[in-house]
Short mmCIF file of all heavy atoms in Angstrom, two decimals:
data_model
loop_
_atom_site.label_atom_id
_atom_site.label_comp_id
_atom_site.label_asym_id
_atom_site.label_seq_id
_atom_site.Cartn_x
_atom_site.Cartn_y
_atom_site.Cartn_z
N VAL X 154 -12.83 20.05 1.10
CA VAL X 154 -13.78 20.09 2.17
C VAL X 154 -15.21 20.35 1.60
O VAL X 154 -16.18 19.79 2.08
CB VAL X 154 -13.45 21.22 3.12
CG1 VAL X 154 -14.48 21.35 4.29
CG2 VAL X 154 -12.08 20.96 3.73
N ALA X 155 -15.34 21.22 0.61
CA ALA X 155 -16.67 21.55 0.13
C ALA X 155 -16.52 21.95 -1.38
O ALA X 155 -15.48 22.43 -1.83
CB ALA X 155 -17.33 22.73 0.92
N GLU X 156 -17.68 21.74 -2.09
CA GLU X 156 -17.81 22.16 -3.46
C GLU X 156 -18.97 23.09 -3.60
O GLU X 156 -20.14 22.75 -3.28
CB GLU X 156 -17.99 20.92 -4.38
CG GLU X 156 -18.13 21.34 -5.86
CD GLU X 156 -18.58 20.19 -6.75
OE1 GLU X 156 -19.18 19.21 -6.19
OE2 GLU X 156 -18.39 20.28 -7.94
N ASN X 157 -18.72 24.30 -4.06
CA ASN X 157 -19.70 25.43 -4.09
C ASN X 157 -20.53 25.48 -2.82
O ASN X 157 -21.77 25.58 -2.83
CB ASN X 157 -20.67 25.07 -5.24
CG ASN X 157 -20.00 25.14 -6.60
OD1 ASN X 157 -19.04 25.87 -6.75
ND2 ASN X 157 -20.38 24.28 -7.49
N GLY X 158 -19.75 25.39 -1.68
CA GLY X 158 -20.46 25.46 -0.35
C GLY X 158 -21.11 24.25 0.13
O GLY X 158 -21.57 24.24 1.35
N THR X 159 -21.10 23.18 -0.52
CA THR X 159 -21.73 21.90 -0.14
C THR X 159 -20.64 20.90 0.31
O THR X 159 -19.60 20.78 -0.35
CB THR X 159 -22.52 21.35 -1.25
OG1 THR X 159 -23.50 22.18 -1.73
CG2 THR X 159 -23.25 19.98 -0.77
N LEU X 160 -20.87 20.17 1.41
CA LEU X 160 -19.94 19.20 1.90
C LEU X 160 -19.51 18.28 0.80
O LEU X 160 -20.33 17.83 0.02
CB LEU X 160 -20.53 18.41 3.06
CG LEU X 160 -19.64 17.45 3.82
CD1 LEU X 160 -18.55 18.18 4.61
CD2 LEU X 160 -20.42 16.54 4.75
N ALA X 161 -18.24 17.97 0.75
CA ALA X 161 -17.65 17.27 -0.41
C ALA X 161 -17.90 15.73 -0.37
O ALA X 161 -17.22 14.99 -1.08
CB ALA X 161 -16.17 17.51 -0.51
N TYR X 162 -18.89 15.29 0.38
CA TYR X 162 -19.05 13.84 0.55
C TYR X 162 -19.39 13.08 -0.69
O TYR X 162 -18.91 12.03 -1.01
CB TYR X 162 -20.07 13.49 1.72
CG TYR X 162 -20.03 12.07 2.10
CD1 TYR X 162 -19.06 11.62 3.02
CD2 TYR X 162 -20.97 11.16 1.60
CE1 TYR X 162 -19.05 10.30 3.48
CE2 TYR X 162 -20.98 9.82 2.07
CZ TYR X 162 -20.04 9.41 2.97
OH TYR X 162 -19.94 8.12 3.31
N ASN X 163 -20.35 13.58 -1.51
CA ASN X 163 -20.91 12.87 -2.61
C ASN X 163 -20.44 13.33 -3.96
O ASN X 163 -21.01 13.00 -4.96
CB ASN X 163 -22.48 12.89 -2.55
CG ASN X 163 -22.95 12.05 -1.38
OD1 ASN X 163 -22.49 10.94 -1.08
ND2 ASN X 163 -23.90 12.61 -0.66
N ILE X 164 -19.46 14.24 -4.00
CA ILE X 164 -19.04 14.79 -5.35
C ILE X 164 -18.24 13.85 -6.13
O ILE X 164 -17.56 12.98 -5.56
CB ILE X 164 -18.25 16.11 -5.15
CG1 ILE X 164 -16.98 15.90 -4.45
CG2 ILE X 164 -19.11 17.09 -4.33
CD1 ILE X 164 -16.12 17.09 -4.37
N LEU X 165 -18.30 13.94 -7.48
CA LEU X 165 -17.49 13.21 -8.36
C LEU X 165 -16.55 14.15 -9.01
O LEU X 165 -16.98 15.14 -9.70
CB LEU X 165 -18.30 12.48 -9.46
CG LEU X 165 -17.52 11.77 -10.54
CD1 LEU X 165 -16.72 10.61 -9.99
CD2 LEU X 165 -18.44 11.30 -11.66
N ILE X 166 -15.24 14.06 -8.78
CA ILE X 166 -14.30 15.06 -9.22
C ILE X 166 -13.81 14.72 -10.62
O ILE X 166 -12.79 14.11 -10.87
CB ILE X 166 -13.13 15.16 -8.16
CG1 ILE X 166 -13.63 15.26 -6.79
CG2 ILE X 166 -12.28 16.29 -8.52
CD1 ILE X 166 -12.57 15.09 -5.71
N ASP X 167 -14.62 15.21 -11.53
CA ASP X 167 -14.25 15.07 -13.00
C ASP X 167 -14.72 16.35 -13.76
O ASP X 167 -15.86 16.55 -13.94
CB ASP X 167 -14.94 13.80 -13.51
CG ASP X 167 -14.43 13.41 -14.89
OD1 ASP X 167 -13.88 14.35 -15.56
OD2 ASP X 167 -14.59 12.29 -15.33
N TYR X 168 -13.72 17.15 -14.28
CA TYR X 168 -14.00 18.39 -14.86
C TYR X 168 -13.62 18.47 -16.36
O TYR X 168 -13.46 19.59 -16.80
CB TYR X 168 -13.53 19.54 -14.00
CG TYR X 168 -14.10 19.39 -12.63
CD1 TYR X 168 -13.40 18.85 -11.63
CD2 TYR X 168 -15.46 19.84 -12.40
CE1 TYR X 168 -14.03 18.69 -10.35
CE2 TYR X 168 -15.96 19.69 -11.18
CZ TYR X 168 -15.28 19.06 -10.15
OH TYR X 168 -15.90 18.88 -8.94
N ARG X 169 -13.50 17.31 -16.96
CA ARG X 169 -13.07 17.34 -18.34
C ARG X 169 -14.10 17.89 -19.25
O ARG X 169 -14.00 18.31 -20.38
CB ARG X 169 -12.70 15.93 -18.77
CG ARG X 169 -11.30 15.53 -18.22
CD ARG X 169 -11.07 14.05 -18.47
NE ARG X 169 -12.05 13.22 -17.85
CZ ARG X 169 -11.93 11.83 -17.79
NH1 ARG X 169 -11.02 11.24 -18.42
NH2 ARG X 169 -12.85 11.14 -17.16
N ASP X 170 -15.38 17.98 -18.68
CA ASP X 170 -16.55 18.51 -19.52
C ASP X 170 -16.66 20.02 -19.34
O ASP X 170 -17.59 20.62 -19.89
CB ASP X 170 -17.85 17.83 -19.08
CG ASP X 170 -18.17 18.01 -17.58
OD1 ASP X 170 -17.32 18.69 -16.94
OD2 ASP X 170 -19.24 17.64 -17.12
N GLY X 171 -15.74 20.62 -18.70
CA GLY X 171 -15.71 22.10 -18.48
C GLY X 171 -16.61 22.62 -17.40
O GLY X 171 -16.88 23.79 -17.41
N LYS X 172 -17.12 21.74 -16.53
CA LYS X 172 -17.97 22.18 -15.51
C LYS X 172 -17.34 23.14 -14.53
O LYS X 172 -16.16 23.03 -14.21
CB LYS X 172 -18.38 20.93 -14.64
CG LYS X 172 -19.21 21.27 -13.38
CD LYS X 172 -19.49 19.97 -12.60
CE LYS X 172 -20.37 20.35 -11.40
NZ LYS X 172 -20.60 19.11 -10.50
N THR X 173 -18.01 24.25 -14.26
CA THR X 173 -17.45 25.28 -13.36
C THR X 173 -17.80 24.95 -11.94
O THR X 173 -18.90 24.51 -11.62
CB THR X 173 -18.03 26.63 -13.68
OG1 THR X 173 -19.41 26.59 -13.62
CG2 THR X 173 -17.66 26.98 -15.16
N THR X 174 -16.81 25.17 -11.08
CA THR X 174 -17.06 24.85 -9.70
C THR X 174 -16.08 25.65 -8.75
O THR X 174 -15.16 26.29 -9.33
CB THR X 174 -16.95 23.38 -9.34
OG1 THR X 174 -17.34 23.06 -8.01
CG2 THR X 174 -15.35 22.92 -9.48
#
Side-chain angles (χ1 to χ4, degrees):
V154 178
E156 179 189 23
N157 296 328
T159 302
L160 186 67
Y162 192 80
N163 293 316
I164 64 173
L165 175 64
I166 309 170
D167 189 341
Y168 301 97
R169 288 172 295 186
D170 60 358
K172 176 182 178 182
T173 59
T174 191

